[in-house]
Structures are given as C-alpha cells and as structure tokens.
Amino acid sequence: GDSVTQMEGPVTLSEEAFLTINCTYTATGYPSLFWYVQYPGEGLQLLLKATKADDKGSNKGFEATYRKETTSFHLEKGSVQVSDSAVYFCALSAHILTGGGNKLTFGTGTQLKVEL
Amino acid sequence: DAGVTQSPTHLIKTRGQQVTLRCSPKSGHDTVSWYQQALGQGPQFIFQYYEEEERQRGNFPDRFSGHQFPNYSSELNVNALLLGDSALYLCASNRGQGIYEQYFGPGTRLTVT
C-alpha cells in the first residue's frame, strides 16, 4: 500500500538557518504530494503541493520538488524564523481506482523548533 | 469564506459510551473525509463521503460510522468507545472526486476515560 516516510524530529535550528526535512514515499501510480503544517493546538494547514514529476511547490519561503526518480519530496526553506516552529507532515494522495475519491496518506510528522 | 468547521472542540466520554462529531465543509466543497490523529502521530484516514455515500474506508472497525447530509455536512459516530479511541479527530473537505488538496478543520479532541 501507499506509505510516506519522514525524517524523525525534533529538528532544532537557530533563526535564519537553512531547513531541510526529508520525505520519501511509496505509491502505485502517480500520486500528488503535499506538505501540511500543524501549529500547536490547531488542525492542519496546507503549505504546498505538487501534482506531477519535477513540479516545484512553494509557499511562504518553503519549497519542495517532486522527484519521481528518487520518490522524494523534501521540504526546504532558506532562512527559518521562530514563527516556523510547528509540526510538518508530508502526505500523498492517490486516486482510488475503485469507487473513486482520494485519501491522504501521511507521514508521522517532523517537529521543527526554531530558537533565537 | 468560512473554512471547515467542527464541533465540539473538546469532548470527554467514558469507555463504552457513544459519541457523535460534526463537520461542515468549506463553502463550495462536496466531499468530506475524516481522519484520526493519535498523539504524536500523523492523521489516519477513517472514511470519505461524497453524494451522501461512504466512498472509501480506511482500516477502522465498524464501530466507526458516518453520515453525510444533503447540505454536505457530515457526522462521525463512534460506538462502544475504547481508551484507544482518544485522539484528535480531523475533518477535511474538497470539491469533487479528483485528486484535490483537502482543507482541514481545527479538529475535535476526544478523551475517553
């Protein structure tokens, strides 16, 4: 079945440091890939997405490129801020062949802590 | 434009009881999915509703059931609650049955004692 593997956290960085959170996936067919962010006590917010190979999703300084050859979708940001502290989830969505619809399969999440 | 809303925010139930959680999708969305997020874990797909029918189901027992109403809102029912059902229950919505990004509500925190 479909699965997503993320690097374990917590990841602790100083403000303005470079961020990489690794994500690899296993899926049949050609899934869409997403990064969601969850701030403490809140639900999930879509951060960025990519729907086909070599697509680059970007938002709020974060970016990730859909790499089909390495089945990866690593999240990067050039200069993190304290306000970026949250849990980041990599997810994939593959169209369900029978019955239609789609579902998200999530990784276990990576907690990011940014310190001054 | 109202986003996905869920009620209640928090809920405390006793083992063996039944619970109903509610969700209103984002305006313009007709598909609702439910996820269970245990502490420190990623969300797990429970089921998805479209056109008032359950379209897909994850690996959850029959104690978990749902409903979608003509206005696209949805309920999640859990019977015979177990301690292990304690989690954050997230509702997500999207439009149609293609691969569209899902928008999440703030969740309902269920505690079973």
Side-chain angles (χ1 to χ4, degrees), chain A residues 36 49 95-96 98 102, chain B residues 37 48 56 97-98 101-102:
Chain A
Y36 282 85
K49 66 175 182 179
H95 196 72
I96 299 168
T98 57
N102 66 84
Chain B
Q37 186 180 17
Q48 183 176 87
Q56 290 295 331
Q97 289 281 277
E101 61 265 32
Q102 297 182 9

Side-chain angles (χ1 to χ4, degrees), chain A residues 48-99:
Chain A
L48 53 83
K49 66 175 182 179
T51 58
K52 61 184 187 296
D54 300 325
D55 266 3
K56 177 184 283 188
S58 61
N59 186 27
K60 299 180 181 179
F62 292 90
E63 58 183 35
T65 301
Y66 189 144
R67 300 289 187 198
K68 182 171 175 290
E69 63 276 12
T70 55
T71 61
S72 64
F73 192 55
H74 305 321
L75 182 68
E76 296 181 337
K77 186 176 185 184
S79 175
V80 294
Q81 305 300 311
V82 172
S83 57
D84 293 327
S85 298
V87 180
Y88 292 81
F89 292 94
C90 184
L92 68 83
S93 178
H95 196 72
I96 299 168
L97 297 178
T98 57

Side-chain angles (χ1 to χ4, degrees), chain A residues 32 34 36 38 42-44 46 49 89 93-96 98-104 106-108, chain B residues 33 35 37 40-43 45 48 55-56 88 90 94 97-106:
Chain A
S32 292
F34 305 88
Y36 282 85
Q38 187 173 38
E42 299 185 10
L44 299 172
L46 177 65
K49 66 175 182 179
F89 292 94
S93 178
H95 196 72
I96 299 168
T98 57
N102 66 84
K103 66 173 186 178
L104 287 168
F106 287 88
T108 54
Chain B
S33 302
Y35 294 82
Q37 186 180 17
Q41 300 297 314
F45 175 76
Q48 183 176 87
R55 296 291 174 157
Q56 290 295 331
L88 181 67
L90 296 165
N94 61 274
Q97 289 281 277
I99 301 180
Y100 301 107
E101 61 265 32
Q102 297 182 9
Y103 291 82
F104 283 79

